[in-house]
Amino acid sequence: MARFGVILPAAGRSSRFHDKHYKKVFAPLDNRPVWMHSAERFVNRSDVVQVILVIAKEDREFFQEKFGANAALLGIELVEGGQERADSVAAALSRLKAEADFVCVHDAARPCICDAWIDAVFAAAEKSGAAILALPVRNTLKRVGPKGQITETLSRTDLWEAQTPQVFRRSWLLEAYANRQGLAATDDAQLVERLGHPVQVVEGSALNIKITTKEDLRLAEQALKLLPKPKLDVPAHPFADDDMWR
């Protein structure tokens, strides 16, 4: 059985979330922080040997005070991230266990993930070496100029919107980051593509939303109700009630 190391980037600035109390990954969602919903889908998998949560250096004290017990109970390793998302993933890669054959990168801000989608993208990566969840673009795309006017209508043919999890053969992702040369990639597949490695696309779901704004958080509350039940229940963890937010 292939073994997977999981990296959950959570070191972003949350500049569009506009909350004076929480960054988006720490915000309460169904009585648990957003990041925990993402983490719980991986920690109990028999094929996952390590889960790394990447947080910003300035958030470490806050995280330890609010969520340190939860992370310890779930067996999650904390790593401090960098200025850009790619810097944070690179920091986590340096802590990856030797027994991980594949690396899964999943946005901590995508809490509405289910076992079936993880199963599908893991299986595709095992077969092809690299795979990501994505959705075909269904809306009309417009290019807009600096004055807010449409300059071009783009064809949506063959266009897909990338999601996470994104899963790669360990050696491929390490090679991709070794050759990054400072590129601030917006996702990890972009770096693997640059090396000429094929990346398989697995159709995801519109429920797998990434939380960026408060409106996204409200949508996630409803999306959680529509997800299939998890295959295994995670163990009870401390502060899984309103005390977590006091």
Side-chain angles (χ1 to χ4, degrees):
M1 179 177 67
R3 293 162 297 186
F4 296 79
V6 177
I7 296 171
L8 303 173
R13 291 177 287 273
S14 295
S15 57
R16 289 174 286 177
F17 192 64
H18 302 304
D19 190 306
K20 64 181 180 180
H21 300 294
Y22 300 108
K23 289 185 176 180
K24 60 187 180 183
V25 291
F26 305 139
L29 174 64
D30 192 27
N31 289 326
R32 296 199 295 283
V34 167
W35 70 264
M36 194 180 296
H37 289 274
S38 301
E40 285 174 342
R41 295 283 64 79
F42 296 98
V43 293
N44 279 334
R45 292 184 63 95
S46 60
D47 53 1
V48 169
V49 297
Q50 183 182 22
V51 177
I52 300 173
L53 181 68
V54 189
I55 61 174
K57 182 177 181 179
E58 63 267 23
D59 294 330
R60 183 127 201 175
E61 183 177 350
F62 167 83
F63 185 93
Q64 291 289 9
E65 178 184 348
K66 289 286 186 181
F67 313 122
N70 302 82
L73 182 62
L74 293 171
I76 294 171
E77 181 178 349
L78 292 183
V79 170
E80 292 181 2
Q83 185 69 23
E84 303 291 342
R85 181 185 186 279
D87 299 323
S88 295
V89 174
L93 285 173
S94 69
R95 303 279 289 274
L96 195 64
K97 289 183 177 180
E99 57 263 40
D101 306 303
F102 289 83
V103 184
C104 166
V105 184
H106 179 64
D107 299 320
R110 287 187 191 270
C112 303
I113 186 71
C114 73
D115 295 321
W117 307 336
I118 298 172
D119 290 343
V121 74
F122 275 22
E126 281 191 68
K127 184 176 180 179
S128 66
I132 72 169
L133 287 187
L135 278 180
V137 172
R138 295 184 172 92
N139 296 319
T140 299
L141 297 176
K142 304 287 187 180
R143 191 185 305 279
V144 178
K147 295 182 179 180
Q149 298 174 337
I150 295 171
T151 61
E152 183 183 3
T153 298
L154 304 174
S155 172
R156 63 191 177 197
T157 303
D158 298 330
L159 291 182
W160 289 62
E161 178 185 350
Q163 298 182 332
T164 67
Q166 299 191 353
V167 188
F168 310 94
R169 185 172 291 143
R170 178 197 182 108
S171 60
W172 287 10
L173 192 59
L174 290 176
E175 180 188 9
Y177 268 85
N179 291 278
R180 180 164 66 102
Q181 297 177 331
L183 176 65
T186 55
D187 76 349
D188 303 283
Q190 182 181 359
L191 296 175
V192 174
E193 294 160 28
R194 291 173 75 222
L195 298 179
H197 293 308
V199 180
Q200 183 69 37
V201 168
V202 177
E203 186 162 355
S205 169
L207 295 177
N208 185 21
I209 62 174
K210 184 177 182 181
I211 292 176
T212 302
T213 67
K214 290 288 188 61
E215 183 179 31
D216 296 330
L217 191 65
R218 291 191 289 270
L219 291 173
E221 291 174 356
Q222 300 307 312
L224 285 176
K225 300 174 184 178
L226 301 175
L227 292 179
K229 296 291 185 182
K231 290 186 295 188
L232 293 172
D233 290 329
V234 297
H237 37 70
F239 318 124
D241 54 35
D242 290 341
D243 288 342
M244 181 181 290
W245 313 109
R246 293 174 187 167

